[in-house]
Amino acid sequence: AFAATQVRAAKLGVTTISGLPASAQERIGADNVGHGFVPGMLAPAQVIVAGPGIASDLAGLARLEGELRRQPGVAAVVGPADTPFLHGQGALTTPSGGAARLLVAYRTDPYGATALHEVGALRDRLPALAAQAGLGRPRTALAGDGPIAHDTVASIRDDLVRVVAAVLIVNLVLLIIFLRALI
């Protein structure tokens, strides 16, 4: 029973690339990215901020970049304020100016338990960070491999409780049937 209670506290990650053999080209490439930049550069999280005319507020987006850089585990942030020459071309802002995208690279493996925990925490803090940056209350979202992996792990944790409960009930019913007794 004690061991089963510890399953809920297990730190889960997704081993998409780190689970490959060391000789796999994908693994070698990921390791090189981690050594040359930071491991999180392999799959940066994408912060989406949407609101009327938000892409033209480069000062507010720059402040949001600064807020994001101060978050736990964040190694680098790239956004529209860093690339004004791409403004309106659809790279980091929509041509209509109604949305902007910021790329957030973590210090650790973007699919590992640490980065996935930090992605979940960032998702919770994102509206407050946008408000602190002076952007008002824009719609915010996280996209990319890290947030998808975070949601997958969260679903696994939630399903784990249901599966354990179902297994215990089935085992109890089978014991009642085979032993022909309720107690």
Side-chain angles (χ1 to χ4, degrees):
F2 176 74
T5 61
Q6 300 307 307
V7 169
R8 188 85 171 132
K11 292 185 177 185
L12 301 177
V14 178
T15 59
T16 307
I17 295 186
S18 62
L20 294 172
S23 61
Q25 291 298 314
E26 296 83 357
R27 173 85 179 266
I28 292 169
D31 290 343
N32 289 339
V33 166
H35 293 302
F37 300 101
V38 293
M41 194 59 75
L42 179 65
Q46 299 177 39
V47 173
I48 310 298
V49 185
I54 200 156
S56 61
D57 187 0
L58 292 180
L61 292 171
R63 287 190 299 272
L64 178 58
E65 287 180 38
E67 293 292 335
L68 291 170
R69 281 187 186 99
R70 288 189 282 280
Q71 298 307 300
V74 172
V77 179
V78 176
D82 295 324
T83 57
F85 53 88
L86 295 175
H87 187 69
Q89 296 182 14
L92 295 174
T93 59
T94 58
S96 68
R101 174 174 52 172
L102 298 95
L103 305 176
V104 178
Y106 285 94
R107 290 185 189 359
T108 60
D109 177 6
Y111 302 107
T114 302
L116 296 185
H117 173 74
E118 290 164 350
V119 163
L122 178 60
R123 181 181 283 155
D124 295 340
R125 287 193 297 268
L126 200 51
L129 292 175
Q132 286 174 0
L135 294 172
R137 296 270 178 213
R139 291 183 313 277
T140 59
L142 277 177
D145 289 351
I148 290 171
H150 173 272
D151 293 347
T152 301
V153 168
S155 293
I156 289 170
R157 285 181 186 271
D158 292 343
D159 291 346
L160 184 63
V161 172
R162 289 188 210 69
V163 168
V164 167
V167 166
L168 289 174
I169 290 169
V170 168
N171 280 332
L172 180 63
V173 168
L174 289 174
L175 281 171
I176 290 170
I177 291 170
F178 289 130
L179 296 176
R180 296 181 185 167
L182 287 174
I183 298 176

